[in-house]
Amino acid sequence: MHYIKFAISVIVTIFILGCDRQDYVTWKCQPSLPNEKSFSMIVHGAKLSIASDAYLYCGSLGPNSYFDMNCPASTNQSNIAFEQKSGILIIEHKKYQCSAL
């Protein structure tokens, strides 16, 4: 009986620690237009940072995560859409291809 309580305590502790984990990923983004510069962005927990600007996580629809300075009422109206799996970043209708570093 003592082992069962111990096992449950360990599982609950691991679960709680896993929920608090925050990812920190740096991405290098290339523009689709040749006259624009590439840039780096950082996704850290529920924030996306580009240069000195930080954007809040507004929600997800399908594979896309949406970010903005102030989240609009409708998630898909955010200024930034990011699909992590493909690395496609869209900022105000401009498309970038990003790679995790």
Side-chain angles (χ1 to χ4, degrees):
M1 186 70 161
H2 179 60
Y3 294 111
I4 294 173
K5 288 181 181 179
F6 178 75
I8 291 172
S9 296
V10 169
I11 291 170
V12 169
T13 302
I14 290 171
F15 179 74
I16 290 171
L17 290 174
C19 291
D20 192 37
R21 194 188 90 196
Q22 289 191 4
D23 293 333
Y24 184 96
V25 181
T26 302
W27 297 79
K28 181 73 169 180
C29 300
Q30 303 292 329
S32 56
L33 299 173
N35 60 344
E36 293 184 28
K37 291 183 177 182
S38 62
F39 59 89
S40 294
M41 76 169 179
I42 297 169
V43 178
H44 182 220
K47 290 187 180 177
L48 181 143
S49 300
I50 299 171
S52 61
D53 296 324
Y55 301 92
L56 302 172
Y57 173 73
C58 299
S60 294
L61 294 172
N64 293 330
S65 295
Y66 294 90
F67 299 86
D68 209 324
M69 291 280 193
N70 297 302
C71 294
S74 180
T75 300
N76 61 348
Q77 292 178 341
S78 300
N79 284 322
I80 298 174
F82 181 54
E83 184 180 343
Q84 185 173 353
K85 191 171 186 175
S86 67
I88 294 174
L89 175 70
I90 299 172
I91 303 174
E92 297 178 355
H93 307 291
K94 291 182 183 179
K95 190 174 181 180
Y96 301 90
Q97 181 62 54
C98 303
S99 309
L101 299 178

